[in-house]
Amino acid sequence: MCAARASCPRNSSCRRIEPLPVLSELDGLVVVLVRPRNPLNIGAAARAMSNFGAHRLRLVNPFAAGFREAKSAVGASDLLESAEEFKTVAEAVADCALVVGTTAIRHRALQHPVHRLDEPTGATIRQRLQTERVALLFGSEKIGLTNKDFSHCHWLLNIPTKEKNISMNLGQSVAVCLYELARSTPIPTVASDFKAATAGDAEIITECLLEALRISGYVKPGTDEMFEKKARALILRFKLEEYDAKLLLGMVRQIVWKLRQGEKT
C-alpha cells in the first residue's frame, strides 16, 4: 500500500506539527541537528539560536539522551527543553518549503547546487522566511550529513573556511550561519499568489512514485535506496506549487491504484 494513503495519527511520521506564534524575524527558521553526538554541542547550538532569535530546534536521532540538561545552553534552557525529536529527516522537515543542508564539501561528489554562506545567500533565505518555513540542516560531529540526508535538501550551504581545516565545531557552525542570516537584509518580495509545496508534500509524492515504480518492475531488487534518493531529488527540483503538488499526487495515486488492480487479475 502506498504510504501516503495511510492515515495514522499515532504514527510519528503522520504527526501534525502545530504552528507557533511568530517571535522574531528568524522564527520561521527550523534548525535541525541530525544525529548529534555531544550534549555540549547541542547546548551550544541552542544558545546560538537564542542569541540570534531562532526558536525552533529539532533533533533527528540524537546520540545523547541527556542533551536537555546541557550546561552549554546558557540562557537557552527553555529552548532546549522544548526541542522536538524525530526519527527521520523527512519527519523533521515535513512542514518546511525550503530545506538547506550544510556541508564542508571535502572531496565529495555532490548532486546538489552548493552556495557559499555570505550576505546574498543569507538575504535569499531571509526573503523566503517572510512567507515560508525554512529548515537548516546540520550533520553529526563525526560524519556530517550523509547523501541520504542531502536527498531531502533543495540545495546545500558551505561556510568558507581554510583548506587546512575546513570543518567547524557543530555549535560554532550553527552560530556562524545564524549570524549571517540575522544580519542580512531580505530581498524585497513581489506580491504573488504562489505558495510552495512543503518537503512533506514532496515526500508523500516520492513514496507513491516509488510504489508505482516497484509494482511496475522499474525498481530492481537491491536498488530501492538509490531510486529513493533519485526520485526525491527529482521531485524537489520541480519546485512545485502547493496546488500542483496536490494535482501530481492525485495522478500518481491513480497510477498506483490501477497497477494494484492489475496485480489482482
Side-chain angles (χ1 to χ4, degrees), residues 180-228:
E180 190 61 69
L181 297 187
R183 81 182 188 93
S184 298
T185 302
I187 300 170
T189 56
V190 178
S192 172
D193 294 331
F194 181 87
K195 185 175 182 181
T198 65
D201 296 331
E203 189 67 15
I204 293 173
I205 295 171
T206 300
E207 290 174 356
C208 275
L209 177 59
L210 285 171
E211 184 72 9
L213 293 175
R214 291 188 188 103
I215 298 172
S216 68
Y218 188 85
V219 176
K220 306 301 180 184
T223 64
D224 287 63
E225 185 174 348
M226 178 189 70
F227 272 104
E228 178 185 345

Side-chain angles (χ1 to χ4, degrees), residues 132-149:
E132 301 163 352
R133 188 165 291 183
V134 177
L136 190 58
L137 272 59
F138 297 86
S140 74
E141 299 90 328
K142 190 173 183 179
I143 62 171
L145 295 172
T146 65
N147 288 333
K148 185 174 181 179
D149 299 330

Side-chain angles (χ1 to χ4, degrees), residues 22-238:
V22 176
L23 301 175
S24 75
E25 292 182 344
L26 293 188
D27 188 57
L29 182 71
V30 178
V31 175
V32 183
L33 307 183
V34 183
R35 297 177 301 276
R37 302 174 61 84
N38 190 327
L40 294 178
N41 285 333
I42 300 173
R47 182 176 183 179
M49 291 175 64
S50 181
N51 289 147
F52 296 108
H55 302 276
R56 305 175 192 274
L57 175 61
R58 297 175 184 173
L59 298 99
V60 177
N61 290 329
F63 183 78
F67 72 86
R68 296 186 191 275
E69 288 76 41
K71 295 181 179 180
S72 53
V74 178
S77 57
D78 55 338
L79 193 154
L80 204 56
E81 183 61 32
S82 62
E84 298 176 281
E85 293 185 59
F86 296 85
K87 291 185 177 181
T88 66
V89 172
E91 294 170 17
V93 303
D95 60 338
C96 299
L98 174 64
V99 181
V100 179
T102 56
T103 178
I105 301 179
R106 295 186 186 277
H107 302 293
R108 302 175 68 169
L110 300 173
Q111 305 301 314
H112 291 67
V114 181
H115 299 276
R116 174 190 177 102
L117 177 65
D118 53 19
E119 201 280 332
T121 302
T124 298
I125 294 176
R126 282 283 299 277
Q127 186 267 333
R128 295 290 295 269
L129 283 171
Q130 293 182 56
T131 56
E132 301 163 352
R133 188 165 291 183
V134 177
L136 190 58
L137 272 59
F138 297 86
S140 74
E141 299 90 328
K142 190 173 183 179
I143 62 171
L145 295 172
T146 65
N147 288 333
K148 185 174 181 179
D149 299 330
F150 287 153
S151 73
H152 294 277
C153 301
H154 293 85
W155 46 272
L156 306 178
L157 188 65
N158 171 253
I159 299 174
T161 54
K162 297 298 182 181
E163 185 66 27
K164 184 177 180 180
N165 190 9
I166 61 176
S167 64
M168 292 182 65
N169 170 272
L170 175 59
Q172 293 175 334
S173 297
V174 173
V176 170
C177 289
L178 295 186
Y179 166 75
E180 190 61 69
L181 297 187
R183 81 182 188 93
S184 298
T185 302
I187 300 170
T189 56
V190 178
S192 172
D193 294 331
F194 181 87
K195 185 175 182 181
T198 65
D201 296 331
E203 189 67 15
I204 293 173
I205 295 171
T206 300
E207 290 174 356
C208 275
L209 177 59
L210 285 171
E211 184 72 9
L213 293 175
R214 291 188 188 103
I215 298 172
S216 68
Y218 188 85
V219 176
K220 306 301 180 184
T223 64
D224 287 63
E225 185 174 348
M226 178 189 70
F227 272 104
E228 178 185 345
K229 290 187 291 187
K230 288 183 176 295
R232 184 179 295 115
L234 175 65
I235 298 300
L236 289 178
R237 282 200 299 272
F238 288 160

